[in-house]
Amino acid sequence: MERTLALFREIDIMYLSIYLEEIMDKIVKYSNGHYNDVPANDTGLGEECGVFGMYDLDGADVASAIYYGLFSLQHRGQESCGIAVSRTDGPKRNSCVCKGMGLVNEVFDADSLEKMQGDIGVGHVRYSTAGASIAENTQPLVLNYIKGTLIVAHNGNLVNAVGLRNDLEANGAIFQTSIDSEVIAYLIARERLESGTAENAVKKAMEKIKGAYSLVVASPRKLIGARDPFGFRPLCIGKRDNAYILASESCALDTIGAEFVRDVEPGEIVAITADGIKSDMSMANGKTARCIFEYIYFARPDSYIDGVCVHESRLVAGRILAQTYPADADIVVGVPESGNAAAMGYSLESGIPYGTAFVKNSYVGRTFIKPKQSARESSVMVKLNALRNVVDGKRVVMIDDSIVRGTTSARIVKMLKDAGAKEVHVRISSPPFLYPCYFGTDVPSSDQLLAYNHTVDEICKIIGADSLGYLDINRLGELAGGKLGYCDACFSGKYPVEPPKEDIRGEYEL
């Protein structure tokens, strides 16, 4: 008996030590500003998610098309993904869902897609800015309740999620995840019991939530899209034959051979049924604040967001940099991928030849696993390598989209100089980051931002550049086409929605 008790004590101690080790690891990650289980990108930047929904009015299965749509949105989230489908002519609770950690082609295969039979469905790719990177937080969320099945996918961040969650829990709600998307799903499900229709339930939920959200919701016989009144995150409508699509970016429509119909307007709710598209603009407030960083970095260059070509936006950014920060140089190069178009713009405006100075490892995404913190291999050098014959002996203008902590920029500048560049003049196609973002962009707190505590000249020395120039904040509007309003709070500190008094990102995991 004593030997048995001793054995149990040893087992308890073993599990306790494992548990404590996990807790300490989480504390270290949180203290470094990256509370998730996938190592963060060196730049510290990431975007919350990509969403894709489809309803085939002829009854054809949609899972395969959603898969390819998500594949084209992979740049928006590489931690987890999922697809949920159902049949509009079947029982109310007949959804089929497949989701998991990893890339789209890692989570799905031909067999899993073949089993997913349904003419309406929602897909999601995720990068976490709030909520741990764990399997429980994968989307879309599927709720079975008295009205049937509700499938919800969300892109963005709510600034009042903590308070709403506390209220729901006080009224008996039990949460299975640590993401604000579940708060939205619960609100829609609860409102559905009183609001008559699913789109009215979405509207009632929108009256309570604050912040950034583009939603795709599938009820038993409707596909619903909604965009927050400020339009922080993009959402568009497409059509292929007799099927309608909702997607974060228009490039996803191109991938499946669908035509672009239009963008979902800020504050708009669209309901797609067998009778077509119904629009509700009652939540629009006329004050738009599209995330300017969609144009600078996040969106794929072949996408159009609110009528503006992303590739053209980056060309404009490069032209502005050439006008405001010219340089005597022999070649202009871009840091892949988002720096390339801006570099072309700089070249066109300045007359300095454009060149390709970097080879990018195509098998490394924006985030990837590093075995140990002490690993000697630089993550930047795993992703990029400089072409010596292109830069050797030359004065180089290097265009990148941003500087966050400065570590990545310093390594890339050093890489170019090690390859023989005589001078490296760095130009950044965004203004200096000075403030955190609470609307779905993983811009860390101010004390982690290099520009918050250093002048431009100091940053230039820190990264080892011969000169440094940022995009003029007063000219950001030129990137967005000069039409609707945009959000530049991470540069200006002027938040369209009052930010929380504390940093709520990662709140639920503590």
Side-chain angles (χ1 to χ4, degrees):
M1 183 68 178
E2 290 182 1
R3 293 178 62 186
T4 302
L5 290 173
L7 178 61
F8 276 119
R9 280 195 293 271
E10 288 180 13
I11 293 173
D12 286 342
I13 292 170
M14 178 183 70
Y15 278 107
L16 179 61
S17 65
I18 293 172
Y19 178 73
L20 289 173
E21 184 177 346
E22 290 177 351
I23 291 295
M24 289 304 297
D25 182 54
K26 292 177 186 294
I27 290 172
V28 169
K29 288 176 181 177
Y30 184 76
S31 66
N32 289 333
H34 300 295
Y35 195 94
N36 53 61
D37 294 335
V38 175
N41 186 357
D42 277 355
T43 66
L45 285 180
E47 211 277 333
E48 174 117 5
C49 305
V51 294
F52 190 98
M54 188 170 184
Y55 181 10
D56 194 303
L57 302 181
D58 291 334
D61 290 333
V62 297
S64 179
I66 294 175
Y67 167 83
Y68 287 109
L70 292 184
F71 207 87
S72 65
L73 296 174
Q74 187 75 85
H75 60 286
R76 299 187 70 87
Q78 301 178 19
E79 293 181 8
S80 64
C81 59
I83 297 173
V85 300
S86 64
R87 295 217 66 85
T88 55
D89 58 356
K92 288 194 293 185
R93 294 181 180 86
N94 69 332
S95 64
C96 178
V97 60
C98 178
K99 54 186 181 178
M101 304 300 294
L103 303 176
V104 173
N105 64 340
E106 295 171 338
V107 173
F108 301 100
D109 56 27
D111 290 338
S112 63
L113 292 172
E114 185 71 25
K115 295 174 183 176
M116 301 188 74
Q117 298 182 2
D119 56 357
I120 188 170
V122 176
H124 187 271
V125 290
R126 180 171 188 258
Y127 173 94
S128 63
T129 61
S133 178
I134 54 177
E136 288 84 351
N137 287 342
T138 57
Q139 295 187 50
L141 301 176
V142 180
L143 279 68
N144 290 310
Y145 70 125
I146 193 169
K147 292 291 185 177
T149 298
L150 191 71
I151 306 171
V152 179
H154 165 225
N155 172 28
N157 263 14
L158 303 184
V159 297
N160 65 336
V162 175
L164 290 172
R165 184 184 176 105
N166 291 339
D167 291 343
L168 288 166
E169 287 177 330
N171 285 288
I174 299 174
F175 286 84
Q176 305 296 321
T177 77
S178 63
I179 54 178
D180 52 6
S181 307
E182 191 174 12
V183 173
I184 299 173
Y186 265 115
L187 288 173
I188 295 172
R190 192 173 68 174
E191 294 293 343
R192 178 68 178 88
L193 301 176
E194 302 174 0
S195 301
T197 65
E199 57 266 41
N200 283 340
V202 171
K203 177 182 175 181
K204 290 293 185 182
M206 288 173 65
E207 291 173 355
K208 294 180 173 66
I209 59 181
K210 296 179 181 179
Y213 53 89
S214 283
L215 302 173
V216 176
V217 180
S219 70
R221 291 172 181 80
K222 291 177 183 176
L223 183 67
I224 300 167
R227 196 173 174 192
D228 71 74
F230 290 93
F232 284 106
R233 298 287 155 219
L235 189 65
C236 64
I237 305 170
K239 192 174 188 295
R240 187 182 75 177
D241 300 326
N242 204 24
Y244 286 94
I245 301 102
L246 294 167
S248 288
E249 294 183 35
S250 62
C251 66
L253 305 177
D254 298 334
T255 299
I256 65 167
E259 63 175 305
F260 173 83
V261 175
R262 65 177 179 86
D263 291 289
V264 176
E265 297 295 326
E268 183 180 16
I269 303 167
V270 294
I272 299 168
T273 68
D275 298 323
I277 300 178
K278 178 184 175 182
S279 171
D280 181 348
M281 291 292 296
S282 60
M283 290 298 297
N285 62 16
K287 298 178 182 179
T288 56
R290 296 169 295 162
C291 175
I292 196 66
F293 223 62
E294 290 284 353
Y295 300 96
I296 295 170
Y297 174 72
F298 291 134
R300 250 176 52 167
D302 51 336
S303 289
Y304 285 76
I305 297 177
D306 292 316
V308 178
C309 173
V310 174
H311 177 75
E312 186 63 32
S313 290
R314 294 172 187 172
L315 286 175
V316 169
R319 288 184 179 276
I320 293 172
L321 284 171
Q323 294 164 10
T324 53
Y325 293 100
D328 290 328
D330 304 304
I331 190 171
V332 181
V333 303
V335 177
E337 299 287 339
S338 50
N340 288 340
M344 290 180 190
Y346 195 102
S347 173
L348 291 169
E349 186 70 22
S350 66
I352 302 171
Y354 171 83
T356 300
F358 299 103
V359 174
K360 183 179 180 182
N361 185 339
S362 300
Y363 300 95
V364 178
R366 288 185 177 178
T367 59
F368 62 97
I369 296 172
K370 290 183 283 188
K372 295 285 184 181
Q373 286 283 355
S374 58
R376 291 180 179 269
E377 291 78 14
S378 164
S379 59
V380 174
M381 296 182 73
V382 172
K383 292 182 180 182
L384 299 174
N385 195 24
L387 290 167
R388 178 175 293 274
N389 66 315
V390 174
V391 301
D392 190 17
K394 293 180 180 177
R395 300 166 298 171
V396 179
V397 176
M398 185 192 88
I399 312 291
D400 204 355
D401 54 72
S402 60
I403 297 177
V404 184
R405 295 177 178 87
T407 306
T408 298
S409 298
R411 288 174 178 168
I412 297 175
V413 170
K414 184 178 185 300
M415 186 188 300
L416 288 173
K417 291 195 171 183
D418 288 346
K422 288 170 59 178
E423 299 173 3
V424 178
H425 301 275
V426 176
R427 301 292 181 263
I428 303 299
S429 59
S430 65
F433 277 120
L434 298 173
Y435 305 96
C437 174
Y438 301 99
F439 308 116
T441 305
D442 192 18
V443 179
S445 56
S446 293
D447 59 357
Q448 298 182 53
L449 297 170
L450 188 63
Y452 186 77
N453 295 310
H454 298 87
T455 66
V456 173
D457 289 340
E458 288 172 342
I459 297 171
C460 184
K461 292 178 182 178
I462 290 170
I463 67 174
D466 292 277
S467 70
L468 173 62
Y470 286 90
L471 190 77
D472 184 351
I473 191 171
N474 295 315
R475 300 190 67 177
L476 271 177
E478 296 176 42
L479 277 60
K483 297 178 182 178
L484 301 175
Y486 57 90
C487 176
D488 64 359
C490 51
F491 309 125
S492 68
K494 298 176 182 177
Y495 295 98
V497 177
E498 184 179 356
K501 292 181 171 56
E502 58 183 353
D503 195 335
I504 62 172
R505 297 168 300 172
E507 173 78 15
Y508 302 143
E509 304 92 54
L510 296 181

